[in-house]
Amino acid sequence: MAGPAAKKAQDQGLGPCTSTYATVLQMISPAQKKALQTATVDPKRVVVRTPAKVEMPVDAVRASATFSKSDLGSYTLEYLKNDWYITD
């Protein structure tokens, strides 16, 4: 869910997401980090493209903290190799 921050870190020359995730976590406020631990997703706001491909907009996230599209972004998730992955 920290995709926009990972992209920002990569654009600033900090390297790919896989090596900069610790930096990305520092870009999220402590209140937001805590809220993400108990966040849920409103299934009514998720768009099912196929049984193995769904789009989850930021407004589907229900949490005790406020998140904007620039905080979380919207994601396309695909079920690949027995697990869900962000693919877009």
Side-chain angles (χ1 to χ4, degrees):
M1 297 185 75
K7 175 82 170 102
K8 182 178 178 182
Q10 186 170 337
D11 290 348
Q12 292 175 353
L14 297 173
C17 177
T18 54
S19 65
T20 60
Y21 199 72
T23 303
V24 169
L25 288 176
Q26 294 173 6
M27 296 176 164
I28 300 170
S29 76
Q32 288 174 319
K33 286 180 201 173
K34 185 162 182 67
L36 286 174
Q37 292 174 349
T38 58
T40 60
V41 173
D42 181 352
K44 294 175 188 168
R45 296 185 179 267
V46 173
V47 179
V48 178
R49 297 293 179 204
T50 71
K53 188 172 187 173
V54 299
E55 292 178 16
M56 188 180 79
V58 69
D59 63 355
V61 177
R62 297 290 175 244
S64 59
T66 301
F67 292 95
S68 68
K69 186 166 183 160
S70 65
D71 292 326
L72 296 180
S74 295
Y75 296 96
T76 299
L77 299 126
E78 288 189 69
Y79 195 72
L80 305 165
K81 299 180 184 178
N82 299 319
D83 211 345
W84 286 96
Y85 294 91
I86 297 171
T87 58
D88 187 25

